[in-house]
Amino acid sequence: MSDYKQDQLSVSEGDMAPACISAISETDSFCDDLNLPGTPYQLHVFPLYTEFVDPESIKPAAKAENLKYEISHDVPILTCRKRQQKKESLIYQKHETPEFYEKRIYPTPHNKSSSNNVSKRGQIKGMSKKSSIRLRKRAARIEDLSLWIDLTFADDVMVNKSITERAEFSYYCLKRLTKYVKDKFGLHLIWKREWQDRKSGKNIGEIISHFHVLFGGMSPKQHKNWVSICCQILIRWVEITGTDNENALVVAINKKSYRRIENPKHATCYISKYFSKDEPLDIPPGESIGRCWGKSKNCPDAVPWIISLTDRETVKLIRHMIRKKKLKSKKGKFIRNQLHKRYSTFLFEDEVEIGRYLNFIGVFDEVPF
């Protein structure tokens, strides 16, 4: 072999070795490009939104062998004689004097604190950011929201009432309407209470509450007659409030008071735009506006798909989300920082969109949901 060919072969071998080393080092340092601390993400994929959960923040399940027990002696056993009495639709229960005693074993909590040290919730002055996030996440776990109805109050039912009395009265009316909707139509609901200054009428300048309510659980037959259902609900609402205003019914059944939600994604848009907003209120000392949101007891809760990602898959997903969701803008700055630092966060990405992302980065050949 000539000297020229030997020199050329040695050069080509010398060039090949650094290329291989650089390729290996590139794959090894793939996760160090973004300088992302923490552990890989665990995805909780709901039908309408996705949670990015740090596995270290998940509390381990309590096991029987890890619990400590204490024995309580001479626990009285109450012998109860139940009888039903049709009086004001109430069920009475009569307790006799305890005659028997037994020994019981109770698991004691790890950090047992006295009830005197537990702080009680103070007077509610407004809706916090954490409460707003809980509302948006809980509403996004309801897949069949199909109706939006606004419930308002006439002036005469709120005259000469304090803010606390108005809050209690409005919540009482909503509870009666919830029972009516559940018994007659079989629907469930989630609601948000909003306070605003009255622009006209007897209570001008005073803050009065109204409700934004989302209904779900409608059958195919009810979907065809959704306008009639909305009108029946609003007529019943006027009856529950007990107003004497003749125009209250006309205002209640106005077309602007109700609408149909065609797409579940529209529900998340309404929740983000209307449910999560809360204007600052000037509440006098000693007054409380009550609960800001709630749901009915028959409200369903979706079960998520739990997917554990590796460190490499986590970095790929974060890069893809930042590029596709345009998180480099000012609006996405907070979520981008949360993803970079591997903090728990969430996005209103449904299971179809997040399935495309996971399929693109190679987590699944076929997405299971």
Side-chain angles (χ1 to χ4, degrees):
M1 185 181 294
S2 63
D3 297 337
Y4 173 75
K5 290 185 177 180
Q6 288 181 357
D7 295 339
Q8 191 176 11
L9 182 61
S10 61
V11 171
S12 61
E13 290 177 353
D15 292 341
M16 188 181 298
C20 296
I21 295 172
S22 62
I24 296 171
S25 62
E26 183 180 355
T27 56
D28 292 339
S29 63
F30 178 83
C31 301
D32 298 333
D33 293 342
L34 292 177
N35 295 323
L36 299 178
T39 58
Y41 267 131
Q42 187 181 83
L43 298 185
H44 294 192
V45 183
F46 291 90
L48 297 178
Y49 83 103
T50 303
E51 287 191 10
F52 297 79
V53 181
D54 180 10
E56 294 183 353
S57 63
I58 301 175
K59 296 181 180 179
K63 297 182 180 180
E65 57 269 16
N66 297 332
L67 296 177
K68 297 180 180 180
Y69 294 90
E70 63 178 9
I71 300 177
S72 299
H73 298 273
D74 300 333
V75 180
I77 302 175
L78 294 178
T79 58
C80 303
R81 188 174 70 243
K82 297 181 180 179
R83 63 185 180 90
Q84 294 183 350
Q85 181 177 354
K86 296 181 179 180
K87 180 181 179 182
E88 300 178 359
S89 301
L90 296 178
I91 299 177
Y92 295 91
Q93 186 179 24
K94 185 176 181 180
H95 295 271
E96 296 180 352
T97 307
E99 300 173 353
F100 306 99
Y101 296 87
E102 67 177 3
K103 296 181 181 180
R104 293 182 183 179
I105 301 177
Y106 300 95
T108 58
H110 181 66
N111 294 326
K112 189 173 182 180
S113 59
S114 61
S115 58
N116 297 329
N117 298 330
V118 178
S119 60
K120 296 182 179 180
R121 174 181 289 183
Q123 296 169 343
I124 303 175
K125 301 294 183 180
M127 189 174 185
S128 63
K129 290 184 179 180
K130 291 184 178 180
S131 179
S132 177
I133 292 174
R134 288 196 298 269
L135 166 61
R136 295 167 63 189
K137 292 168 68 174
R138 184 61 184 89
R141 295 203 297 270
I142 307 173
E143 306 178 49
D144 56 353
L145 295 176
S146 52
L147 291 180
W148 169 297
I149 298 180
D150 295 327
L151 305 175
T152 58
F153 294 91
D155 289 335
D156 57 342
V157 298
M158 293 294 183
V159 174
N160 298 328
K161 288 183 179 179
S162 63
I163 296 177
T164 304
E165 292 174 346
R166 291 171 180 172
E168 294 175 353
F169 174 74
S170 61
Y171 187 62
Y172 165 76
C173 295
L174 184 66
K175 286 183 66 177
R176 292 188 59 186
L177 183 72
T178 303
K179 186 178 184 304
Y180 167 77
V181 170
K182 179 182 177 182
D183 295 342
K184 185 168 185 179
F185 303 107
L187 304 181
H188 50 261
L189 59 91
I190 186 168
W191 55 269
K192 164 72 166 59
R193 175 159 47 188
E194 189 176 348
W195 296 79
Q196 285 184 348
D197 296 335
R198 279 292 169 93
K199 307 299 181 183
S200 61
K202 299 180 181 178
N203 301 320
I204 185 172
E206 300 180 8
I207 57 173
I208 307 293
S209 64
H210 63 273
F211 292 100
H212 301 295
V213 188
L214 292 176
F215 294 87
M218 296 179 62
S219 63
K221 185 177 180 180
Q222 290 176 333
H223 277 288
K224 298 179 181 178
N225 303 322
W226 68 275
V227 177
S228 174
I229 293 175
C230 291
C231 292
Q232 293 181 57
I233 292 174
L234 290 169
I235 291 172
R236 180 56 180 164
W237 173 256
V238 174
E239 295 175 354
I240 290 173
T241 57
T243 178
D244 296 329
N245 192 347
E246 298 178 355
N247 297 326
L249 184 60
V250 178
V251 174
I253 61 176
N254 190 359
K255 292 183 178 180
K256 295 182 179 179
S257 300
Y258 57 90
R259 71 196 77 170
R260 187 179 180 182
I261 302 174
E262 301 288 348
N263 193 336
K265 287 186 178 181
H266 295 170
T268 59
C269 295
Y270 291 140
I271 294 162
S272 301
K273 187 175 181 181
Y274 295 100
F275 274 42
S276 58
K277 71 174 184 178
D278 196 13
E279 299 178 357
L281 302 173
D282 186 12
I283 306 298
E287 298 287 345
S288 176
I289 63 173
R291 294 183 62 186
C292 296
W293 70 276
K295 62 179 182 62
S296 58
K297 292 183 179 180
N298 61 336
C299 213
D301 195 358
V303 179
W305 288 87
I306 300 177
I307 303 170
S308 298
L309 301 179
T310 62
D311 200 5
R312 183 184 179 87
E313 292 170 346
T314 300
V315 175
K316 278 187 175 182
L317 181 61
I318 292 174
R319 284 179 170 177
H320 192 64
M321 294 291 294
I322 292 174
R323 183 171 65 253
K324 291 294 182 180
K325 291 294 293 180
K326 299 180 181 179
L327 298 179
K328 294 182 180 180
S329 60
K330 292 183 179 179
K331 292 183 179 179
K333 184 178 179 181
F334 174 75
I335 298 177
R336 186 179 74 247
N337 292 336
Q338 294 288 100
L339 293 174
H340 277 184
K341 296 178 181 178
R342 304 284 182 92
Y343 292 154
S344 298
T345 184
F346 73 99
L347 283 174
F348 279 114
E349 289 290 339
D350 58 4
E351 57 186 11
V352 177
E353 292 295 329
I354 202 67
R356 291 176 182 174
Y357 297 153
L358 295 176
N359 194 10
F360 178 80
I361 65 177
V363 178
F364 296 112
D365 295 332
E366 293 183 1
V367 181
F369 43 83

